[in-house]
Amino acid sequence: MENQTRFDLNAAVEKWRLELAAQAKLASDDRRELEAHLRDAIADFQQRGLNDEECFWLARRRAGQPQELGEEFVKANPAKFYRERAFWLAFGLLIYRLWDMLASSLITPLSMRVYRPPHEHFGFLFPDWVSFYLPSWLRDLNLAPMFQYSIGSIDFLLVLTALIFVARGKLEKLRSMFEVIFTNRLRFVIIAMLSLFVVSAVSNLIFNSLCVEMLRGKFLPNYFYSDFWSAWIIAIVAWLMPSQNRSPSQLA
Amino acid sequence: MHHNKVLTKDLVAASSKPLLLSILADGESYGYEIIQKVRELSGGQIEWSDGMLYPVLHRLERDGLINSEWKEADTGRQRKYYCISSDGRKALKTERQQWLAVHNTLGKLWKIKPVSI
């Protein structure tokens, strides 16, 4: 059977792998096992003299539809499925926590510094002869809360980005971004603790430099408590981490 | 009566545990090899689908009857190998008695010697 374009076996397997990965019900270890199975089947058919394309389609047909596979696997072990979900939830919480530390070190001082009485009223944005003609409710409109809300939404940007990724079905892309740090538990804990220290140091630095003349050290957030909280999440994520995560194995 | 040479779904499900335990009692193996072996031994009458095998293996592992381990095969690729545990051997003994009990009972009722199927 001659094809116009050469059939790329590795690319086909990679595409199949992504299809499988779209099945949230399959844990990464299950997917890895199914992929090994597909490659075994392909190797077997190759030995029998079939060409790459025939091997792939036959092996794929034998393995079954990704969705059906997902159903079968969940039926066998529902706890594993929810454990993986809990894992990503906890990991998301950790990332949000780190981001929140950074963002709030910016938000709190900025929102306090920019609008200070009496500059916080709408009328103050204009020269007196303009604001004189404004109705009093508009002239006296307090802008501080509005400003705080808008600057406070920086905090929400990360959540929004993640939501857009998920809504557009790019969950796998998001996941693969982090796969490197999940190769083993020790590696994850070291990287997570380091990021925690870096983030906590940087956010303290930002906060202090923004507030130094304004607060004179009277008000300092309790970062020790925050770190403690994050350390607990790190421990939980490490505990929930699937035992086998890896990069795709190469076809021999 | 419609004669089907392939085993019914119920029987496939019921026999999967003793079959898997018996295969792994002979030595460690992996998914693809297990399916091939079952097909070969049964002369094609027992056809396991790939999607059905792994959930069964995982359940047996959770029950502590078999253990698994990722290992590098001679092809250089990683495979998950399964082997039987001591609990698994005990369970196999029980399974064996029960299946033979069914076999003997049916044999007596049908008044047959072991036949080639």
Side-chain angles (χ1 to χ4, degrees):
Chain A
M1 203 158 59
E2 198 60 45
N3 274 331
Q4 287 148 320
T5 50
R6 246 183 81 78
F7 179 75
D8 186 347
L9 184 59
N10 268 318
V13 172
E14 188 57 27
K15 195 165 164 260
W16 179 85
R17 217 174 68 83
L18 286 176
E19 247 175 78
L20 205 63
Q23 290 303 312
K25 288 169 180 166
L26 287 174
S28 54
D29 193 57
D30 297 338
R31 283 190 272 123
R32 187 181 174 197
E33 193 170 24
L34 284 169
E35 188 193 339
H37 184 99
L38 188 84
R39 291 191 189 272
D40 278 333
I42 289 171
D44 189 11
F45 295 139
Q46 276 173 333
Q47 272 192 342
R48 296 189 213 173
L50 299 184
N51 73 30
D52 281 0
E53 191 170 5
E54 290 163 340
C55 289
F56 175 74
W57 289 108
L58 209 55
R60 190 189 133 102
R61 215 186 117 75
R62 282 261 180 93
Q65 292 296 313
Q67 197 174 348
E68 288 167 26
L69 286 174
E71 301 291 335
E72 291 284 339
F73 275 73
V74 173
K75 246 190 284 169
N77 194 352
K80 192 173 174 180
F81 167 53
Y82 289 108
R83 187 188 165 101
E84 180 133 332
R85 287 210 159 171
F87 164 73
W88 285 104
L89 192 72
F91 182 65
L93 213 61
L94 176 66
I95 293 291
Y96 181 74
R97 180 73 207 152
L98 294 182
W99 168 261
D100 184 54
M101 274 166 77
L102 270 180
S104 58
S105 72
L106 269 171
I107 293 164
T108 319
L110 275 183
S111 59
M112 288 168 102
R113 148 187 277 213
V114 180
Y115 282 94
R116 266 175 289 176
H119 305 271
E120 66 203 353
H121 297 295
F122 186 70
F124 254 93
L125 295 175
F126 307 96
D128 280 349
W129 64 271
V130 178
S131 55
F132 179 77
Y133 292 104
L134 292 172
S136 62
W137 65 267
L138 190 59
R139 192 171 53 226
D140 297 337
L141 187 69
N142 189 348
L143 290 178
M146 259 186 250
F147 183 77
Q148 277 174 9
Y149 287 141
S150 59
I151 209 172
S153 63
I154 294 177
D155 209 4
F156 189 62
L157 271 180
L158 187 80
V159 180
L160 202 68
T161 316
L163 281 178
I164 290 172
F165 260 94
V166 174
R168 296 181 64 189
K170 298 266 175 68
L171 195 64
E172 194 46 38
K173 207 172 174 182
L174 208 63
R175 185 183 291 202
S176 62
M177 271 163 55
F178 294 107
E179 211 145 67
V180 189
I181 63 171
F182 290 134
T183 44
N184 67 56
R185 284 200 167 94
L186 187 69
R187 187 171 176 171
F188 166 74
V189 171
I190 291 172
I191 293 176
M193 289 308 271
L194 275 178
S195 346
L196 180 61
F197 284 127
V198 170
V199 165
S200 139
V202 168
S203 56
N204 268 307
L205 215 71
I206 295 174
F207 189 88
N208 290 337
S209 67
L210 284 174
C211 293
V212 74
E213 88 277 18
M214 201 173 86
L215 298 167
R216 300 184 198 292
K218 275 181 211 151
F219 168 71
L220 277 174
N222 191 348
Y223 276 111
F224 176 71
Y225 177 76
S226 318
D227 291 350
F228 196 66
W229 203 84
S230 306
W232 271 110
I233 308 184
I234 291 175
I236 290 170
V237 174
W239 171 60
L240 285 171
M241 204 161 106
S243 53
Q244 293 280 346
N245 252 303
R246 49 77 231 212
S247 51
S249 51
Q250 289 303 304
L251 196 64
Chain B
M1 179 80 187
H2 167 71
H3 290 274
N4 202 336
K5 283 200 154 180
V6 177
L7 226 60
T8 63
K9 241 182 173 174
D10 286 347
L11 267 178
V12 167
S15 59
S16 60
K17 186 177 172 186
L19 278 171
L20 280 173
L21 290 178
S22 307
I23 287 170
L24 295 177
D26 274 352
E28 63 170 17
S29 189
Y30 56 93
Y32 192 75
E33 195 179 55
I34 293 172
I35 290 186
Q36 297 290 94
K37 206 165 199 173
V38 168
R39 185 182 296 135
E40 204 178 292
L41 287 170
S42 69
Q45 286 192 304
I46 302 180
E47 188 73 40
W48 282 358
S49 76
D50 303 359
M52 160 248 159
L53 172 71
Y54 290 103
V56 177
L57 280 171
H58 296 172
R59 192 159 48 223
L60 291 181
E61 188 181 6
R62 248 180 328 139
D63 294 344
L65 304 182
I66 59 176
N67 298 315
S68 73
E69 192 188 357
W70 280 96
K71 272 200 265 183
E72 196 164 307
D74 40 2
T75 57
R77 282 189 289 109
Q78 295 264 319
R79 271 197 203 115
K80 199 175 188 179
Y81 283 85
Y82 293 90
C83 62
I84 195 166
S85 68
S86 52
D87 278 354
R89 288 189 192 278
K90 280 177 217 153
L92 177 57
K93 224 174 180 177
T94 318
E95 286 280 333
R96 188 187 148 93
Q97 286 164 354
Q98 295 187 353
W99 278 86
L100 286 180
V102 175
H103 176 88
N104 288 339
T105 311
L106 287 174
K108 275 180 198 160
L109 283 168
W110 295 335
K111 298 179 182 66
I112 43 169
K113 297 167 274 176
V115 284
S116 56
I117 22 178

